[in-house]
Amino acid sequence: MKKVLFVMQSLYNGGAERSLINLLNELPEDKYKIDILLFKREGVFMKQVPEFVKILDTPVALNKLSVPLKKSGKYIPIKVVGTTISRLAEREKKQQEAYRWKHCYTKFIDDLDEYYDVAIAYMSGEILYYLCDKVKAAKKFVWIHNDYRAAHHPREYDYPYLKQVDGIVSVSESCSDILKEEFPEFSDKIYYISNINSSEVIRKRAEEFVPVEFKAESYEPIILSIGRLSPQKGFDIAVNAAYIMKNRGLHFTWFIIGDGPEEKNLKEAINEYGLNEYFQLLGKKENPYPYIKNCTIFAQTSRYEGKSMVLDEAKILCRPILTTAYPTASDQITADKEGVIVNICAEDIAAGLEKMITDASFCHELSDYLGMREFGNSEEVRKYMQLIDNNHIS
């Protein structure tokens, strides 16, 4: 039985986290001995980890350097100094985090004692750096969930770590092609494997309840978006689009599921534009599927993505979709059949949503088209197992 380690930041409600949980629940429990190491042992998906998977205790230094400053205890000086020098050395956040790891954090974090047959960093950045610097394993792999170029990953810092791993996994064909362009010398170890989505599980969980937040809005169109409240997801653009729609006299309520660093700014913008009756932040939800099933339109306003799990989930639940035209959007959405693709700006998002709100027959056509197709891909787990078992995908 192979010993496998997955390393992850936490199990909050992001797409990569859902992808990992879906994968763990599809892997055969009699074939692997699986451990998970989380930088922060918390998140709404913790209780969805299968019983046969062991969640390791997080090493103290790793945890304290990953949590907010006020919770860092005796590691506060290290965190303050590391963050300060990284901000002086680099301008962009991802570069700052990489610099801080290389020149500060890695010196204070111990190696993991256990030895594994396969160890997987299920995201890049500090998780990849930890895997390479602190984990002992026969084979190591990293998952990169976003468009590497659009996400402005720190290539100069990532390169020596990507050189060390045995495989680099991307979640879409376009993202895989971009990685090969960025790192042509690693082309033979870059693989494309889709995130796991079980249509059976998603449909079943979508029936668990009807969102109480939606009941009061039953006679108005309900727009739903899901994602971390970060610049990547473009919810600031969504607020501007809602303001435009409000001024055009449209009636709707736009709900956002998720939390994150932009929450304060978004709330301020909602208040400033007088959108409290139109735009509501619901926070994180352990089960978002009833919200998707019962919305009128699912809207994704991202600036960039890899392969969006939530778009596949919306397709499985046959919801009309509007998405912005980030570089990999057309990998997932066939325009005017599976959904609407608009430019990444408030005016075009507002115009696209207005068309969908005022043209019910068009939305019905989108839903009918989705309903005649299957978007689940549980069989994709075979590729994950090939990688674990054989160190490559045939």
Side-chain angles (χ1 to χ4, degrees):
M1 185 177 285
K2 279 197 171 184
K3 292 172 63 177
V4 181
L5 174 71
F6 288 90
V7 183
M8 191 61 164
Q9 181 74 24
S10 67
L11 289 178
Y12 283 114
N13 61 337
E17 291 86 345
R18 286 208 302 282
S19 170
L20 176 57
I21 288 296
N22 290 348
L23 171 60
L24 294 174
N25 279 280
E26 292 289 341
L27 289 172
E29 62 180 284
D30 59 348
K31 188 173 176 62
Y32 307 110
K33 181 182 182 297
I34 299 176
D35 292 345
I36 301 181
L37 178 67
L38 302 171
F39 284 21
K40 293 181 285 187
R41 202 171 184 269
E42 57 193 32
V44 296
F45 294 137
M46 288 287 288
K47 63 183 181 181
Q48 294 184 34
V49 177
E51 291 185 3
F52 73 92
V53 174
K54 181 181 179 181
I55 304 176
L56 301 177
D57 291 331
T58 307
V60 174
L62 178 63
N63 177 254
K64 293 300 183 182
L65 292 172
S66 302
V67 297
L69 184 65
K70 62 183 179 181
K71 297 182 179 180
S72 297
K74 69 178 184 179
Y75 292 88
I76 287 177
I78 299 169
K79 198 172 178 73
V80 169
V81 171
T83 300
T84 301
I85 62 172
S86 69
R87 287 175 177 172
L88 292 171
E90 297 286 357
R91 297 180 63 181
E92 295 192 25
K93 185 177 180 180
K94 287 185 172 69
Q95 280 74 8
Q96 290 171 359
E97 291 175 351
Y99 184 96
R100 185 178 62 184
W101 178 273
K102 179 180 178 181
H103 295 282
C104 186
Y105 281 12
T106 190
K107 300 173 184 178
F108 298 94
I109 297 172
D110 293 332
D111 292 355
L112 197 64
D113 290 334
E114 194 78 26
Y115 182 86
Y116 291 90
D117 297 302
V118 177
I120 295 168
Y122 210 66
M123 289 182 71
S124 55
E126 290 179 322
I127 299 168
L128 166 63
Y129 309 156
Y130 178 84
L131 178 84
C132 292
D133 288 347
K134 305 298 177 181
V135 175
K136 298 180 286 291
K139 298 290 181 180
K140 296 181 179 181
F141 300 94
V142 61
W143 258 246
I144 297 179
H145 291 265
N146 282 319
D147 175 337
Y148 189 90
R149 191 180 295 138
H152 301 290
H153 286 292
R155 189 185 189 283
E156 66 277 19
Y157 291 101
D158 287 352
Y159 184 90
Y161 290 103
L162 294 176
K163 187 175 182 180
Q164 293 180 53
V165 299
D166 298 281
I168 304 164
V169 179
S170 177
V171 297
S172 83
E173 290 187 49
S174 292
C175 289
S176 178
D177 291 341
I178 289 166
L179 280 170
K180 290 175 181 178
E181 291 171 5
E182 291 289 321
F183 302 100
E185 60 272 59
F186 301 151
S187 291
D188 61 347
K189 65 176 184 180
I190 294 173
Y191 304 101
Y192 156 49
I193 311 179
S194 293
N195 290 320
I196 300 294
N197 271 317
S198 170
S199 55
E200 181 180 353
V201 170
I202 289 169
R203 292 187 186 112
K204 182 178 179 180
R205 298 212 67 197
E207 299 295 336
E208 289 184 3
F209 60 87
V210 175
V212 294
E213 300 91 341
F214 287 7
K215 290 181 180 178
E217 317 297 337
S218 58
Y219 297 106
E220 290 186 358
I222 295 171
I223 304 167
L224 177 69
S225 299
I226 298 177
R228 181 167 167 75
L229 305 185
S230 66
Q232 174 191 347
K233 300 300 180 181
F235 293 140
D236 56 321
I237 309 173
V239 171
N240 290 332
Y243 181 65
I244 293 170
M245 293 162 64
K246 172 195 170 186
N247 288 341
R248 290 178 181 170
L250 293 171
H251 296 281
F252 62 92
T253 308
W254 194 333
F255 293 96
I256 307 288
I257 291 177
D259 61 3
E262 289 295 300
E263 181 174 353
K264 180 181 177 182
N265 292 337
L266 290 171
K267 285 182 176 178
E268 289 176 353
I270 291 166
N271 287 329
E272 180 183 348
Y273 291 137
L275 291 172
N276 289 289
E277 295 182 5
Y278 294 84
F279 205 100
Q280 299 183 29
L281 306 180
L282 298 179
K284 57 192 177 186
K285 300 292 180 182
E286 185 270 333
N287 179 8
Y289 303 123
Y291 292 86
I292 300 174
K293 178 181 182 294
N294 289 282
C295 74
T296 311
I297 300 165
F298 187 86
Q300 180 156 288
T301 57
S302 299
R303 290 180 166 91
Y304 64 89
E305 291 283 345
K307 186 174 184 181
S308 168
M309 283 200 69
V310 74
L311 280 189
D312 284 341
E313 292 163 351
K315 287 160 69 174
I316 287 169
L317 294 173
C318 304
R319 292 299 79 210
I321 294 166
L322 177 139
T323 185
T324 44
Y326 52 84
T328 58
S330 58
D331 284 359
Q332 282 187 272
I333 297 295
T334 303
D336 296 327
K337 289 188 176 181
E338 296 176 338
V340 174
I341 301 177
V342 299
N343 292 322
I344 308 174
C345 66
E347 292 80 7
D348 285 10
I349 292 170
L353 289 172
E354 181 175 8
K355 172 180 169 56
M356 297 176 79
I357 288 171
T358 57
D359 190 349
S361 62
F362 175 60
C363 283
H364 286 314
E365 288 174 9
L366 296 176
S367 294
D368 290 346
Y369 184 90
L370 295 170
M372 292 186 289
R373 283 154 180 81
E374 174 56 56
F375 298 103
N377 65 345
S378 295
E379 73 284 350
E380 194 80 353
V381 73
R382 177 184 59 83
K383 294 181 181 178
Y384 289 82
M385 293 173 64
Q386 280 187 340
L387 197 63
I388 293 171
D389 295 340
N390 306 319
N391 306 314
H392 70 276
I393 300 172
S394 59

